[in-house]
Amino acid sequence: MRLSFFSGLATAAVAVTLYPLFAGSSWLWSSLGAILLIIATGLLATRYRLPGWLTPLAQLTVLWVYLTASFAADDAWARIVPTRDAFFTLAELTARGFDDIQRFAAPVPDNPGITLITAAGVGLIAVMVDALAVRARRAALAGLPLLALFIVPAEIVAEPLAWPAFILAAAGYTGLLAADGRERVGRWGRAVLVRRTRGTARPAADAGGLRLSGKRVGVTAIALAIVLPALIPTLEPNPLFGFGVGGPGNGRNGNTISIPNPIVSLKGQLTLPDNATVLTYRSSDNLPHYLRMWSLDLFTGEQWTMTPPTGRPQDRVENGPLPPPPGFRAGVPTKRAQMNIQISEDIDDLQFLPLPYPATEVGAEGDWRADRSTLMVFSTRDYAEGLQYTVTSDQPAPTRDLLQAAGPPGPEVVERYLELPPDLPPRIRQLAREVTAEEVTPYDKAVRLQEWFTGDGNFSYNLQTQGHGNSALIDFLINSRVGYCEQFAAAMAVMARVLDIPARVAIGYTGGTNVGGTWQVGTHDSHAWPELYFEGVGWLAFEPTPAGALGQGTARPPDYSVPPPDDPATGDATSDPSESASPDETTSTADPTAPRNPRLEDREGTLAPVVTEEDPPVAPRIGAGVALLVLLLLVPALVRTLARSRRLRTLNRPLPDPGPPAVRLGPGAPADGTAGITGAPAERADPADRTGHPMAGITGARTGQGDARARHYAAGVAAAWAELDDLLYDYGVTRDPSETPRTLAQRVSQQHGFDPKATESLRHITTVAERMLFARTPGDPGLLSVDLRRVRRALAATAPRGRRIRATLMPPSTLRRLRALGTRLLDGWDRLESLRLRRPRRTTP
């Protein structure tokens, strides 16, 4: 009975982690209702001994009735019994829910369709957990469906789960395991104890040990899962789905970059019913400009991802011009444009600035830095919502002759931007070569690819397609030829790499729509496009996505990517595209990397750079981290050294003033002379003593009152024995509980081949220890510190090198005490369960 309850409780605890996916709470109450009914069904099945295989069927039936009553009551008989119409209503709601999931980005509204899917999914997980944990008696395997439920928010949502939700989920699963263990022991028994209560004896199964072990494992695992990730910094975004730049952040005060999942960000924004404004900008040339945020350079065969960006303190945008564009050489014609960009207040968690490529100067308030290889501008501390910033851009405007004469790329570009997975389907390679078979130069092949996608390739634009793996790529290029900008950009970049043209994928926004001299960029302007590299010019954008009414409306191919008309009357095919630029454009052949005034003028005024505190260099931080790690590893050695020093100080203390000349036995002492010596305790016994050896009692030996010399000897012998015990344990010498100290000394000396001096020193230590326990007078222990030093050297001389290193750096005796300390702490945790608040008995007069 208990196990059925805990299986449902574990499912509910893990289901709570779904909270980031929804904007409301109706999904939670619907899911909890399904879990409660499944728990009740499982309890009744256990109570009336329903066959194990029949219980999941009964639970599924109850779940169906519950969903019918909750979401299709109007079409059900008596508002609860499923009917044919109710079934079709549920099916229609489910289909609508899946459509809404495709339309919205997380957190999604918990409308009836999405709530139905969630409640049904959580209910199915609860049935599977109950079937595995209760019916099949495989509680550990029940973690698999729970894990499947847990990874849904972990994979979809960019933000990390809150640690209380993780602890709740982990505690639910740990409680299920503990309940299973207790029920097994309670049913079959392991050790029978007799508990006496009010004069009666009753047997009870000893489930405490198992409960204790399960609890310790659970507490330790949860603590490590929380503490270790906090100690290991994640400074870069981690790839997820699709374009793979989504990664969890640590909130607004962390060191991580918060990047939304591009699949959700791109397609989700394109399919929103309203074209909400993302940003507005004014440009000195009054022309639209593509605004790039992310540059994806890695293609795994299943997804495009990006190399994590790096931003050094010297690459802050406030320090002046951005790093030079990779591959650009002075002398290439450029078009300069100055822009003033205003990000909407409704944009959340955006840590990359939308910028034209290549931006040469950026004036923005906050700690914004440029990645040198891609010129992405990002921040690990600040967010772009509501930000106003200025940009100066010198965009290349090369001639066709210049692009056709471009030389081969350098080895660093080839290594990074021509890499393709070895399992890329041969049909894609063959198709790329067939389409460009008549072209010679890389530039002509790039133009031909763009023309094929937008013209004679018979592609069409549709937002209903999705996918980006090898199979989806083949389907898009060969079979359906239907997709939106994600498929067009990814496909052209892959085909360009097949043709030995370095390529990557950019994600951002198109230029938007001009409204009264201000360009407005909305969610429907989200876009992906390929960037191709030409030596001497650098990275150039191409546009394979159809534009206009039958494509993405604001997409525009660059002038240099449009093939010249065949009719000579229309103009010179090799003319400079920059010659037809508008009068407001500034065409220059100057080097865009030349220093300029970091203050950027715009139509609204002057934006001064922000002066902020410099970051510490990276090398000292790495060194500090390594030093901290080394110190942590040396803690056991330090503890062992301190313990040895304390004991040696005890041995080397000068003798106090002599007291009474002899130690006398108490009046009740045994006549055989084996009584413990009465007096003050020398040193408390080690609770982690591994053998229970009789000599452990020496640490509790006591001397006669007033005999300061005897107390001094007792303390010294106790310290020497404790140090010898740790030495033997550190060097792997076992102790038999039945052997006396003298026998121990003889065995160790013979087995390890001690020299005469070391043998005599070991014999002396054990002799004075025996005398302290059994003799009438302790006698003079002599120089025990010298004896300990000899024994230590003898043990080290005969031990293997690995054993010596371990005894020095990670002494087992110290680790034994640390384990004992942890055990006592966990025992204290477990004792909290034994606390009972009882009302005092009422006594009758």
Side-chain angles (χ1 to χ4, degrees), residues 409-736:
E412 67 282 354
V413 176
V414 171
E415 181 180 0
R416 179 174 178 180
Y417 295 103
L418 285 183
E419 184 179 1
L420 288 171
D423 60 343
L424 184 71
R427 299 176 65 185
I428 296 178
R429 298 180 183 272
Q430 180 181 358
L431 180 63
R433 297 185 179 99
E434 289 178 354
V435 171
T436 60
E438 298 181 0
E439 311 301 335
V440 178
T441 66
Y443 167 72
D444 290 334
K445 294 179 181 180
V447 172
R448 174 62 186 132
L449 283 178
Q450 176 177 289
E451 183 182 28
W452 181 66
F453 279 109
T454 58
D456 58 349
N458 296 322
F459 287 85
S460 58
Y461 184 87
N462 195 319
L463 287 173
Q464 298 305 315
T465 58
Q466 58 183 347
H468 41 267
N470 279 338
S471 59
L473 192 60
I474 291 178
D475 181 70
F476 170 70
L477 288 174
I478 298 176
N479 300 326
S480 68
R481 297 199 174 180
V482 176
Y484 63 104
C485 58
E486 175 196 347
Q487 283 79 30
F488 284 98
M492 181 170 175
V494 171
M495 296 177 73
R497 289 193 176 187
V498 170
L499 300 173
D500 296 328
I501 306 174
R504 63 191 185 190
V505 173
I507 299 180
Y509 297 95
T510 61
T513 305
N514 195 328
V515 180
T518 299
W519 293 91
Q520 292 186 355
V521 178
T523 53
H524 291 180
D525 297 314
S526 299
H527 195 47
W529 63 93
E531 291 180 334
L532 276 56
Y533 179 87
F534 298 93
E535 187 66 30
V537 180
W539 291 97
L540 297 176
F542 282 76
E543 186 51 87
T545 304
L550 299 179
Q552 190 156 352
T554 54
R556 294 177 177 87
D559 293 338
Y560 53 76
S561 68
V562 179
D566 295 334
D567 187 358
T570 60
D572 185 5
T574 60
S575 63
D576 188 348
S578 62
E579 294 177 0
S580 60
S582 64
D584 293 335
E585 293 179 358
T586 302
T587 303
S588 173
T589 59
D591 185 357
T593 65
R596 301 184 186 88
N597 190 339
R599 297 176 177 269
L600 302 179
E601 298 290 331
D602 65 345
R603 300 186 182 186
E604 301 297 331
T606 303
L607 179 64
V610 181
V611 179
T612 58
E613 188 178 6
E614 285 293 337
D615 282 352
V618 177
R621 282 197 280 178
I622 296 177
V626 173
L628 179 60
L629 179 60
V630 171
L631 288 177
L632 290 176
L633 294 176
L634 291 179
V635 166
L638 178 62
V639 173
R640 181 70 177 92
T641 302
L642 293 176
R644 181 184 298 114
S645 300
R646 175 175 53 83
R647 291 164 181 165
L648 292 179
R649 284 197 304 270
T650 301
L651 290 172
N652 296 326
R653 282 186 304 189
L655 284 173
D657 294 335
V663 177
R664 303 181 182 275
L665 296 174
D672 58 0
T674 59
I677 303 174
T678 59
E683 184 178 343
R684 295 186 58 84
D686 185 2
D689 188 272
R690 66 188 189 278
T691 62
H693 194 279
M695 287 308 299
I698 193 173
T699 58
R702 296 184 295 177
T703 60
Q705 295 181 356
D707 192 347
R709 185 180 296 269
R711 289 197 301 270
H712 175 81
Y713 287 159
V717 173
W721 180 258
E723 179 63 20
L724 176 63
D725 182 72
D726 283 352
L727 278 176
L728 296 177
Y729 193 72
D730 288 341
Y731 286 97
V733 179
T734 58
R735 270 178 32 196
D736 188 350

Side-chain angles (χ1 to χ4, degrees), residues 336-478:
R336 173 170 295 184
Q338 293 183 338
M339 304 171 62
N340 187 296
I341 302 177
Q342 174 69 55
I343 303 292
S344 171
E345 296 282 353
D346 298 328
I347 300 299
D348 295 330
D349 299 337
L350 180 60
Q351 293 184 274
F352 284 72
L353 293 184
L355 298 171
Y357 183 86
T360 54
E361 293 183 16
V362 176
E365 182 178 359
D367 185 7
W368 298 93
R369 308 183 182 192
D371 177 73
R372 284 184 168 267
S373 63
T374 61
L375 297 187
M376 292 185 295
V377 174
F378 66 95
S379 176
T380 60
R381 303 175 182 177
D382 299 300
Y383 289 77
E385 57 187 82
L387 181 68
Q388 181 179 2
Y389 55 98
T390 56
V391 185
T392 296
S393 173
D394 287 314
Q395 297 179 341
T399 63
R400 290 177 54 83
D401 292 339
L402 183 61
L403 291 174
Q404 287 178 335
E412 67 282 354
V413 176
V414 171
E415 181 180 0
R416 179 174 178 180
Y417 295 103
L418 285 183
E419 184 179 1
L420 288 171
D423 60 343
L424 184 71
R427 299 176 65 185
I428 296 178
R429 298 180 183 272
Q430 180 181 358
L431 180 63
R433 297 185 179 99
E434 289 178 354
V435 171
T436 60
E438 298 181 0
E439 311 301 335
V440 178
T441 66
Y443 167 72
D444 290 334
K445 294 179 181 180
V447 172
R448 174 62 186 132
L449 283 178
Q450 176 177 289
E451 183 182 28
W452 181 66
F453 279 109
T454 58
D456 58 349
N458 296 322
F459 287 85
S460 58
Y461 184 87
N462 195 319
L463 287 173
Q464 298 305 315
T465 58
Q466 58 183 347
H468 41 267
N470 279 338
S471 59
L473 192 60
I474 291 178
D475 181 70
F476 170 70
L477 288 174
I478 298 176

Side-chain angles (χ1 to χ4, degrees), residues 33-93:
I35 293 174
L36 289 175
L37 286 177
I38 291 170
I39 291 175
T41 306
L43 292 174
L44 291 175
T46 303
R47 173 68 177 80
Y48 293 103
R49 302 182 182 279
L50 199 66
W53 62 269
L54 191 57
T55 302
L57 297 179
Q59 291 173 327
L60 290 175
T61 302
V62 170
L63 178 62
W64 185 14
V65 172
Y66 168 74
L67 296 176
T68 300
S70 300
F71 298 95
D74 294 338
D75 297 317
W77 184 74
R79 302 187 63 82
I80 190 172
V81 180
T83 61
R84 182 175 178 273
D85 292 339
F87 174 79
F88 284 112
T89 300
L90 292 178
E92 182 180 355
L93 277 177

